[in-house]
């Protein structure tokens, strides 16, 4: 990794002066973010990382003096051309030609693995990671509420896979419960087999709306209970209807996931764990963890003092495990977690859901620990906030497909108003990819746990910090290759890349591994989003000030190589976020 070789060289110098092993110093040496003030060093070493006394008074008074002293003891060489002291840091500037040569060579050599081969990841063990995300309810159209879980889970899976982990993507469907009793009765009354085949989820949605009007009717309630009881008893005809609902739902979802660029290794669901959930209840009972309330409901006491001040309900009063909602019942999830460990022997399991389910997962992990499963420590809940104000032109939006169609249509309209759209081979497909980038970047710009207000105007701006701008930049950089051909790295004279705007792009490329490392630690996509937006702005400035056309051949080749490196890293980052880069726009 480009940054890695420079970090090691700086650590080696520091090691001799500080009398510390170089490997203890590497993580305290970081690439300096590019500044609009132009001249910034390439790396900085934090003095606080080697200071024993870390009181704030001591830090404020003494760190700068220590940095100055250390900078005086260090010497420039063929790699480091300048050393200076900053507030609590020692700053290192790399020989400019060596910087350009090393960064471009590394991007060229590593291709799609640039950044992930960094020594920052060398101590991170390769793991088997199970990620559960998306999880819509079958027999219902894909609700917009599941979009965040889908794109966040996809990002985490992409990132983990890129870093060399073995990833299992699981879609845990809401495919069981009393609502299927109601839907089954509704289909018997209002269902149409032809409509079910031609537009399954739309038809089931219509059926559900109709039967829901009679949901409070005692006869309807009784019929729904009877239908669900037959389902629990594995009645062949009833199961056949339910299975058809499930299979048709998955087919529809796969079609929508394809539009989102998302895939799953396994479609699971609450229905898989009916019997296993009963086994879990027996284990809880045998371990003395299952208690009964006066009403006969089964609970697990999670309070520290064992005074029932914090309990989790795991069983209905009729002795069956709860399926109603995740917030109410962890019993099915307990069975699923145990089953996944038996099946996959995972190292980490990540659940991606909205933050309203945080308590449910805290209870789930606590009960697993009480049951004696130490691996519960390796379960993780990645939560996210709510999206507000997502409306189509027709009003408040409910279904994801309406949003995807809307963003594609708006994007197509925007593209049609520009001169270049006529040349695009498949404008509808391009509009789809650019529109999805717009949705993803608006979603990923902030902390995942934050709620945010959705805005079509903000999302679809072609300038500013948007997914449209990322796609536009990628297409523009790609067009340079189309116009001028590939630059061969062997022909590049790096002395032609000494302008401030070229150096800014190179410095920014140097930081990519640190950004990936940060996202890998907290699973927040915002670090990568911010990095790619800055890269796009820097590339846009360089594109204006460092023209390829009309420049001397040697200069043109060097600049072309710089722009190809920027495009390559931009594409890599976009793919991690779940965005397919476009080559025309």
């Amino acid at each position: 990794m480009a940054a890695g070789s420079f970090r090691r060289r700086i650590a080696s110098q520091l090691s001799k002066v500080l009398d510390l092993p170089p490997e203890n110093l590497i993580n305290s040496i970081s690439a300096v973010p590019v500044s609009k003030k132009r001249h910034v060093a390439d790396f900085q070493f934090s003095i606080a990382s080697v200071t024993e006394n870390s009181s704030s008074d001591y830090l404020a008074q003494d760190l700068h003096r220590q940095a100055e002293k250390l900078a005086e003891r260090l010497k420039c060489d063929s790699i480091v051309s300048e050393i200076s002291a900053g507030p609590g840091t020692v700053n290192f500037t790399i020989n400019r030609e060596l910087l350009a040569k090393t960064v471009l060579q590394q991007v060229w050599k590593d291709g799609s693995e640039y950044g992930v081969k960094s020594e920052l990841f060398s101590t991170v063990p390769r793991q088997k990671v199970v990620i559960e995300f998306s999880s819509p309810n079958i027999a219902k159209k894909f609700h917009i509420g599941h979009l965040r879980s889908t794109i966040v889970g996809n990002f985490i899976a992409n990132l983990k896979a890129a870093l060399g982990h073995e990833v299992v993507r699981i879609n845990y469907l809401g495919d069981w419960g009393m609502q299927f009793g109601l839907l089954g009765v509704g289909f018997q009354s209002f269902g149409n087999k032809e409509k079910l085949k031609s537009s399954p989820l739309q038809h089931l949605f219509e059926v559900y709306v109709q039967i829901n009007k009679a949901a409070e009717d005692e006869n309807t309630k009784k019929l729904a209970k009877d239908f669900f009881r037959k389902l629990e008893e594995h009645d062949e005809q009833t199961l056949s209807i339910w299975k058809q609902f499930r299979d048709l739902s998955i087919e529809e979802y796969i079609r929508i996931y394809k539009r989102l660029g998302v895939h799953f290794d396994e479609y699971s669901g609450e229905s898989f764990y009916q019997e296993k959930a009963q086994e879990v209840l027996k284990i809880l009972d045998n371990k003395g963890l299952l208690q009964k309330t006066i009403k006969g409901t089964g609970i697990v006491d999670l309070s520290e003092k064992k005074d029932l001040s914090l309990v989790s309900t795991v069983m209905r009063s009729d002795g069956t495990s709860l399926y109603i909602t995740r917030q109410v019942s962890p019993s099915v999830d307990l069975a699923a977690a145990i089953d996944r460990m038996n099946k996959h022997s995972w190292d980490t399991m990540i659940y991606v859901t909205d933050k309203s389910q945080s308590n449910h997962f805290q209870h789930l992990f606590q009960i697993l620990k009480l049951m004696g499963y130490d691996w519960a420590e390796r379960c993780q809940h990645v939560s996210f906030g709510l999206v507000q104000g997502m409306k189509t032109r027709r009003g408040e939006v409910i279904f994801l497909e309406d949003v995807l169609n809307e963003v594609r249509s708006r994007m197509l309209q925007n593209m049609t108003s520009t001169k270049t759209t006529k040349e695009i081979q498949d404008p509808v497909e391009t509009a789809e990819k650019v529109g999805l980038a717009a949705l993803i970047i608006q979603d990923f710009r902030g902390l995942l746990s934050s709620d945010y207000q959705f805005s079509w105007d903000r999302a679809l701006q072609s300038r500013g910090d948007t997914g449209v701008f990322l796609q536009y930049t990628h297409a523009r950089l790609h067009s340079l290759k189309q116009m001028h051909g590939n630059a061969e790295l062997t022909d590049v004279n790096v002395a032609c890349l000494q302008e401030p705007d070229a150096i800014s792009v190179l410095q920014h490329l140097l930081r990519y591994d640190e950004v990936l490392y940060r996202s890998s630690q907290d699973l927040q996509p915002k670090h990568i989003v911010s990095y790619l937006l800055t890269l796009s702005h820097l590339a846009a400035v360089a594109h204006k000030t460092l023209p390829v056309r009309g420049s001397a051949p040697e200069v043109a080749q060097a600049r072309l190589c710089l722009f190809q490196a920027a495009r390559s890293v931009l594409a890599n980052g976009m793919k991690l976020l779940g965005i397919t880069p476009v080559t025309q726009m």
Side-chain angles (χ1 to χ4, degrees), residues 124-141:
V124 179
R126 298 293 174 263
Q127 295 187 329
K128 186 166 191 181
V129 185
V130 166
I131 306 173
E132 180 203 294
F133 63 104
S134 195
S135 307
N137 298 312
I138 70 156
K140 289 185 178 178
K141 287 185 80 173

Side-chain angles (χ1 to χ4, degrees), residues 16 29 76 100 146 256 303 332 380 434 546 573:
K16 289 167 191 163
I29 301 163
C76 294
H146 295 285
I256 294 170
S303 60
V332 182
Q380 187 178 355
V434 176
L546 309 173

Side-chain angles (χ1 to χ4, degrees), residues 536-579:
S536 294
H537 287 296
L538 293 172
V541 170
H543 189 269
K544 276 184 192 168
T545 61
L546 309 173
V548 174
R549 182 184 289 176
S551 298
E554 202 178 32
V555 174
Q557 277 293 96
R559 289 174 179 175
L560 201 51
C561 201
L562 176 72
F563 290 127
Q564 278 181 213
R567 188 203 60 77
S568 173
V569 175
L570 179 59
N572 293 347
M574 288 166 78
K575 286 171 190 169
L576 286 180
L577 297 173
I579 296 168

